[in-house]
Amino acid sequence: MKIRTLRYFIKEGFVNSYRNKLMSLASVLIVVASLIVFGVFVLISLNAQHNIRIWKEQPQLQAFCYQELDDIQVRRVEEIIKADERVLSYEKVTREQALEKMRERLGKDAAILDGYGADIFPVSFIIRLKDVSYSGEVVKDLEKVTGIEKVTYSQDTVELITRMSQWFSLGCSVMIVIFLVASVFIIANTIKLTVFARRKEISIMKYIGATDWFIRWPFVVEGVIISITGAILAFIISACGYKAVVDKFSQDAFFAQTSLLSMLSIESIWSKLAVYYAAIAVVVGAAGSFVSMRRYLKV
Amino acid sequence: MVELRNVSKTYPNGTVALRDINLKLDKGEFVFLVGPSGSGKSTLVKLLLKEEEATEGEVYVNGYDVTSMTRQEIPYLRRSLGVVFQDFRLLPNKTVYENVAFAMIITEALPKEIRRQVPMALALVGLSRKANMYPHQLSGGEQQRVALARALVNNPALLIADEPTGNLDPETSWEIMKLLSEINHRGTTVIVATHEKSIVDAMKKRVVAINKGVIVRDQEKGLYRDEDKNTPVFY
Ligand SMILES: Nc1ncnc2c1ncn2[C@@H]1O[C@H](COP(=O)(O)OP(=O)(O)OP(=O)(O)O)[C@@H](O)[C@H]1O
Ligand SMILES: [Mg+2]
């Protein structure tokens, strides 16, 4: 294809979408909606993966003593943990700290704790291991120690998150497929209207010897223009939205203190998001054009 | 140049539009295709453009074997000839110049070629001064001349016109027919399907008469109706 012909196709593609403003706009909005659903999914999965990776790298256990244990008994438990050579470090969480954490977690609802003392909370130990591979046996051994009620195992959290993100992916995939198919069809429908509006022109082009592809390309370009416009808007909206969430998140005292969750910065993922959006936009736009071509432009 | 061998055309609804047509046109000829309404003139033109397929027989145009041609080849057949219709078929939102240039753009011609050829074609039909007007600003005769310029801009060896003067007044019709004749003098083979009795009679060209899908007469320097020849001539 020659450059001037390509220029002609692109120009005609713009003319087509402009002549059909309202439908083009509607299609753009559908594309934006589908891509944002897709974007939310991508952003959440990227962050989930990121956090799972962090948790896997730092095996962390929390051993809870029975609530009624006295200081001497607690110290006995602490000695056992200290003596274990698989333990890298540990940190004692006192009843008061536990109460404080709970107050923080409850936020405005902390009032329900009024009237209760710190003694309703058990003492616990946050334990870091020298190696991930020990975690299974260490949990088993600690659970046998008298005075320890239960050991939460960060592996559980990893599994839970993994399982949750699988369900989440499935749900999102279904939605994404529905949205993308809808996008393809609304683009096809928009192009159908343009084809209809230009049918006289198309028949004249055929009489004077235009090839099928010469007639089709401007409509393919029209579909791609719609989807690319949608992608650009969706990118701006989701990038701004994500940045707002990240900012809000980093100001949240609870997450900042516990470092239980961390979020990827927008800088580290915008390029990935842009590439996904662009790829999907081109595929959806072209697919829309081809569907309409097959159905309405049997030249 | 153009040859039809034992060509028949039956439309899917059963209408027999052409029956065993044999016709040969040499390079540089000028042929009038005449006959009553519904006799099959437009059908014959459509077979030459491969807008319709012959049910039987063979069609050759400009060295193309139209009958066995694939869909992909049709555009190249059509580029090798110019076509003009009764309803002009101009693009309403393009200027005169752009309409003519369009026939070259679709062939991916060089811009330099387009800038050279389009003014020449417009000059030939006498519309150089109206190059920047839109079709709706022109008279019917002028619009048909734009269509002619478009048909000629790629220098086709064959020009096909189906009732080119059907929508024009007698005087304008004469102008268009003279233009077609002039184009023929420059070497282009011309086929004109028409009902213009007086023009056909006056121009004394080859006349092929069709009736009910059959060629009933093929005559050099012919007249619109055969029997006119037998009417007494008074000196
Ligand atoms: N697409 C079609 N389907 C079925 N029958 C058709 C079709 N096109 C033309 N016909 C029939 O074929 C016959 C020849 O039609 P055609 O248009 O070739 O006549 P014509 O000589 O051009 O007439 P006119 O002088 O009125 O233009 C007519 O009986 C017409 O009704
Ligand atoms: Mg006709």
Side-chain angles (χ1 to χ4, degrees):
Chain A
M1 196 191 295
K2 303 195 171 94
I3 300 285
R4 58 177 177 278
T5 312
L6 188 68
R7 264 215 313 262
Y8 163 83
F9 291 153
I10 292 172
K11 193 186 116 217
E12 290 298 297
F14 274 101
V15 169
N16 278 354
S17 15
Y18 182 74
R19 280 210 202 134
N20 207 351
K21 288 186 271 305
L22 223 61
M23 266 309 279
S24 300
L25 187 68
S27 327
V28 166
L29 292 181
I30 295 285
V31 173
V32 169
S34 352
L35 285 179
I36 286 180
V37 172
F38 172 78
V40 167
F41 163 73
V42 167
L43 291 171
I44 292 178
S45 351
L46 285 177
N47 275 294
Q49 280 164 21
H50 166 72
N51 279 295
I52 289 169
R53 206 177 311 120
I54 291 175
W55 287 324
K56 278 185 177 160
E57 279 163 7
Q58 330 175 319
Q60 201 170 282
L61 306 175
Q62 191 167 12
F64 291 90
C65 299
Y66 285 102
Q67 182 249 321
E68 58 274 10
L69 248 54
D70 61 30
D71 288 357
I72 301 161
Q73 288 166 311
V74 167
R75 202 158 310 134
R76 208 172 293 140
V77 170
E78 189 175 349
E79 291 303 321
I80 292 168
I81 293 170
K82 203 176 185 176
D84 197 318
E85 65 241 17
R86 295 165 298 188
V87 173
L88 177 71
S89 67
Y90 71 93
E91 186 187 320
K92 186 177 169 190
V93 181
T94 63
R95 296 175 198 272
E96 289 72 25
Q97 282 166 338
L99 171 67
E100 200 44 46
K101 255 189 193 161
M102 185 52 86
R103 277 193 190 286
E104 264 168 29
R105 195 174 297 185
L106 290 172
K108 280 186 248 120
D109 301 325
I112 61 167
L113 290 173
D114 292 353
Y116 294 101
D119 55 334
I120 59 162
F121 292 97
V123 174
S124 65
F125 296 92
I126 292 174
I127 302 162
R128 284 196 181 77
L129 298 177
K130 286 178 179 157
D131 196 293
V132 203
S133 58
Y134 300 145
S135 51
E137 33 174 316
V138 172
V139 171
K140 254 186 227 140
D141 292 347
L142 286 179
E143 274 171 346
K144 276 184 240 153
V145 172
T146 36
I148 291 183
E149 187 184 8
K150 65 173 180 193
V151 182
T152 57
Y153 179 21
S154 68
Q155 201 56 44
D156 289 351
T157 337
V158 171
E159 255 166 43
L160 182 73
I161 303 270
T162 312
R163 183 104 16 105
M164 265 168 49
S165 70
Q166 278 165 359
W167 281 107
F168 175 76
S169 305
L170 185 69
C172 284
S173 306
V174 171
M175 278 203 11
I176 287 166
V177 168
I178 292 172
F179 266 92
L180 291 182
V181 169
S183 307
V184 167
F185 279 92
I186 192 159
I187 289 174
N189 209 52
T190 308
I191 292 169
K192 177 181 100 173
L193 292 184
T194 322
V195 169
F196 189 74
R198 301 190 77 168
R199 66 195 182 287
K200 196 180 152 206
E201 223 168 314
I202 290 169
S203 87
I204 292 171
M205 287 170 79
K206 282 193 274 177
Y207 276 118
I208 58 179
T211 57
D212 291 357
W213 278 107
F214 192 90
I215 295 172
R216 283 176 185 155
W217 272 113
F219 296 100
V220 176
V221 171
E222 181 186 358
V224 172
I225 287 171
I226 289 171
S227 56
I228 295 274
T229 310
I232 291 171
L233 288 177
F235 178 75
I236 293 171
I237 294 169
S238 41
C240 291
Y242 184 73
K243 193 174 177 338
V245 171
V246 172
D247 288 349
K248 193 99 185 137
F249 177 83
S250 61
Q251 285 160 14
D252 187 296
F254 174 72
F255 286 116
Q257 256 186 16
T258 54
S259 72
L260 196 61
L261 273 173
S262 79
M263 281 185 86
L264 292 157
S265 67
I266 181 70
E267 286 79 14
S268 65
I269 51 174
W270 74 265
S271 55
K272 214 175 229 172
L273 198 64
V275 168
Y276 286 158
Y277 277 13
I280 290 186
V282 169
V283 171
V284 164
S289 317
F290 282 103
V291 168
S292 71
M293 231 52 70
R294 290 196 65 109
R295 293 188 160 189
Y296 318 114
L297 205 63
K298 290 217 175 87
V299 283
Chain B
M1 190 89 251
V2 175
E3 191 172 355
L4 285 85
R5 284 192 210 144
N6 308 104
V7 171
S8 295
K9 171 68 187 174
T10 308
Y11 281 105
N13 67 358
T15 311
V16 181
L18 293 174
R19 227 184 285 263
D20 198 26
I21 298 284
N22 282 288
L23 182 65
K24 196 159 182 278
L25 263 76
D26 289 324
K27 194 166 164 40
E29 274 198 282
F30 190 115
V31 180
F32 279 123
L33 208 55
V34 302
S37 190
S39 55
K41 303 183 294 295
S42 297
T43 304
L44 201 153
V45 166
K46 285 174 184 166
L47 292 183
L48 300 181
L49 304 174
K50 207 175 168 77
E51 193 188 334
E52 292 288 349
E53 301 263 353
T55 329
E56 267 172 63
E58 293 150 45
V59 180
Y60 299 94
V61 176
N62 276 350
Y64 288 95
D65 178 353
V66 177
T67 337
S68 68
M69 175 178 273
T70 62
R71 260 182 56 87
Q72 283 75 23
E73 293 171 297
I74 297 174
Y76 304 96
L77 162 72
R78 292 185 182 168
R79 285 175 199 186
S80 79
L81 38 88
V83 207
V84 173
F85 297 94
Q86 179 173 357
D87 56 359
F88 321 138
R89 302 197 187 172
L90 300 176
L91 298 170
N93 39 21
K94 282 187 162 47
T95 64
V96 167
Y97 185 95
E98 288 165 347
N99 262 285
V100 177
F102 193 57
M104 294 189 78
I105 289 175
I106 62 157
T107 67
E108 303 193 55
L110 287 167
K112 199 180 74 188
E113 282 287 293
I114 297 177
R115 282 194 297 272
R116 198 169 57 105
Q117 287 288 104
V118 176
M120 269 169 57
L122 287 177
L124 179 66
V125 300
L127 278 179
S128 302
R129 283 174 46 239
K130 309 218 163 171
N132 293 320
M133 291 197 169
Y134 285 88
H136 69 91
Q137 297 171 308
L138 302 177
S139 72
E142 287 168 335
Q143 290 188 41
Q144 192 59 296
R145 283 191 275 159
V146 177
L148 257 175
R150 183 180 63 191
L152 294 170
V153 75
N154 285 322
N155 287 319
L158 173 67
L159 181 69
I160 302 171
D162 190 0
E163 298 193 41
T165 59
N167 285 346
L168 305 175
D169 62 58
E171 214 167 302
T172 320
S173 299
W174 260 109
E175 280 172 25
I176 295 292
M177 287 296 192
K178 276 186 196 150
L179 205 47
L180 288 172
S181 176
E182 196 186 317
I183 289 158
N184 172 244
H185 282 308
R186 290 165 178 248
T188 310
T189 312
V190 178
I191 303 176
V192 185
T194 188
H195 289 290
E196 302 277 2
K197 181 179 182 304
S198 57
I199 299 178
V200 172
D201 288 347
M203 281 177 68
K204 306 231 163 26
K205 305 282 189 185
R206 180 176 169 190
V207 173
V208 173
I210 305 185
N211 195 4
K212 294 180 181 140
V214 179
I215 294 187
V216 291
R217 181 163 52 100
D218 186 347
Q219 197 175 25
E220 292 298 330
K221 298 190 175 158
L223 297 173
Y224 188 80
R225 255 192 283 280
D226 201 20
E227 56 268 30
D228 290 356
K229 211 172 44 182
N230 304 329
T231 50
V233 180
F234 300 102
Y235 294 97

